[in-house]
Amino acid sequence: AGLLTARCPSKWLAPLPPVICNGILVGGLISYQEVGFTAAFGGTFLFNAASVALGELLACYVLGLPLLTLMDKAKVFGKTAPALHS
């Protein structure tokens, strides 16, 4: 997620890679812990992946994006983050 975030063309897209990666990976791990690879895995995975992704989406866009904007205004990144100025 960090590598994909670093390659995002704009700050508005930067929160998406952690949302997608964590939704898939953490949702899959939780589902496997709950039901294993049984017939119930598909439905359980969809529910868990969606709930993890929703929580990550709120955390990244509600908390992370304003923090990223403040860090950009404070020049924390210097010239290493051209995507922040898009």
Side-chain angles (χ1 to χ4, degrees):
L3 292 173
L4 293 172
T5 300
R7 296 179 188 267
C8 282
S10 76
K11 70 178 179 180
W12 301 105
L13 295 175
L16 283 181
V19 170
I20 294 168
C21 290
N22 285 332
I24 292 170
L25 295 173
V26 175
L29 288 171
I30 293 170
S31 300
Y32 179 73
Q33 285 292 325
E34 288 178 351
V35 296
F37 286 127
T38 63
F41 182 80
T44 306
F45 171 74
L46 289 176
F47 174 76
N48 286 324
S51 62
V52 169
L54 179 63
E56 187 80 16
L57 187 75
L58 291 173
C60 287
Y61 275 99
V62 174
L63 299 174
L65 197 57
L67 178 62
L68 185 63
T69 303
L70 288 172
M71 291 172 71
D72 184 36
K73 287 181 182 178
K75 307 269 188 256
V76 172
F77 296 114
K79 295 183 181 182
T80 60
L84 297 178
H85 304 289
S86 299

